[in-house]
Amino acid sequence: MICNKCGRKIIEDDSGILLEDVCEVRKEWGYFSKKDLAVHSFALCESCYDEMIKSFSVPVKEEEKSEVL
């Protein structure tokens, strides 16, 4: 996997399991957009994600989980 913003290869082990987390986005555009029925997807490394959300006018909603399922 490669970060779409910086182009850095996301580290994975020999079996293809990612050794760092990424933000993966998939958007299926519907009617009333200029992208009717197009599907867009991209991945961002954590650094690029942090950089992107700093530019938001409204901060992202953040909550903490007590366990990972």
Side-chain angles (χ1 to χ4, degrees):
M1 181 178 291
I2 295 175
C3 175
N4 284 82
K5 185 170 188 309
C6 70
R8 184 174 66 80
K9 186 174 184 332
I10 306 301
I11 301 169
E12 45 185 68
D13 68 10
D14 293 335
S15 61
I17 296 174
L18 295 177
L19 298 178
E20 58 183 296
D21 209 352
V22 297
C23 174
E24 293 183 85
V25 176
R26 177 181 165 87
K27 171 60 180 158
E28 295 183 22
W29 293 96
Y31 299 115
F32 310 111
S33 76
K34 294 180 182 175
K35 300 169 189 64
D36 288 357
L37 305 178
V39 179
H40 291 186
S41 60
F42 63 90
L44 296 173
C45 68
E46 190 171 2
S47 295
C48 288
Y49 171 82
D50 290 342
E51 185 180 318
M52 179 184 71
I53 66 170
K54 283 181 189 176
S55 70
F56 289 1
S57 296
V58 178
V60 297
K61 181 179 177 182
E62 188 174 330
E63 55 188 75
E64 292 202 20
K65 293 172 46 171
S66 59
E67 62 182 311
V68 177
L69 301 176

